[in-house]
Structures are given as structure tokens and as C-alpha cells.
Amino acid sequence: MHNEAESLAELIDRVRSTLDSACMTWELLPVDDASTDGSFAVMQIAAAADRRVRPLSHAVRKGQTGCFATGFRAARGDIVVTMDADLQLYPEDIPLLLEPFASGAEVVNAV
């Protein structure tokens, strides 16, 4: 995320609601890419309220690829779903992405 403070509360609520409704064990690893709008502080507040939220941060911008690399290194689970923090991708679609794994898929991509 980079300067996404305004959308983060909704993002967290929608991820939590979607994955809790699906009875999934999950963690949210928002990677702050040197935001200047307080995005990381918003995520730290969310982390204090829900330990499944584990914010990470970059001191200097590394772009989307750098953020993905940071998240991949920190992830504890077997399946990783990447998404931007601006809500152009719907957290409610995460369960749809996970369905193919039950049939043995190793990678799932959505367009």
C-alpha cells in the first residue's frame, strides 16, 4: 500500500468478514511502501485490535514487486493471496480463488 489510509479500515473489515464467514484461518500482511499519509499508523491500530493483522513497512519505496517480496517472506501460511489496498479487487472474491486448491491446483490467477 502507498498512501491508502482512507481505504484501509474498509479493507480490513471486508477481509475479516469474508474470511471469518468462510471459517478460515488467516493473516493480513499489509506492506506499507513508505506512505506519507499515516497508512502504517492505521494498520498498527488495526493490529492492536486483531493480531491476525501484521503490518510491515518499507522506509523507502520499493513498488508493488518489492511489497509482494516482503509479504511473501513474512507469510506464515501455505497459500498467499495478493491484492492492492485500494479496493479495486474485492476481498469477497478470496474464497473463489481458494476453491481450485481443493482440486490440487498449485497456482491460481484471476483476471
Side-chain angles (χ1 to χ4, degrees):
M1 67 185 161
H2 181 73
N3 293 336
E4 298 288 351
E6 291 184 21
S7 64
L8 294 177
E10 182 178 351
L11 173 70
I12 295 163
D13 288 343
R14 289 172 62 183
V15 167
R16 181 183 296 120
S17 175
T18 297
L19 298 181
D20 284 350
S21 293
C23 299
M24 294 180 179
T25 301
W26 59 272
E27 65 180 347
L28 178 61
L29 302 172
V31 181
D32 180 57
D33 201 26
S35 292
T36 58
D37 71 344
S39 292
F40 189 67
V42 171
M43 290 313 244
Q44 287 178 307
I45 292 167
D50 188 335
R51 62 187 183 141
R52 298 174 296 184
V53 179
R54 295 193 307 120
L56 308 166
S57 68
H58 294 157
V60 296
R61 295 210 50 199
K62 296 185 179 185
Q64 186 179 56
T65 301
C67 289
F68 284 170
T70 297
F72 292 148
R73 281 192 301 273
R76 296 178 183 153
D78 295 328
I79 298 173
V80 176
V81 175
T82 62
M83 63 187 336
D84 294 340
D86 60 8
L87 295 170
Q88 287 185 10
L89 304 170
Y90 304 129
E92 295 81 9
D93 288 342
I94 295 171
L96 298 173
L97 293 170
L98 301 177
E99 287 176 9
F101 289 104
S103 301
E106 293 183 18
V107 175
V108 177
N109 185 41
V111 178

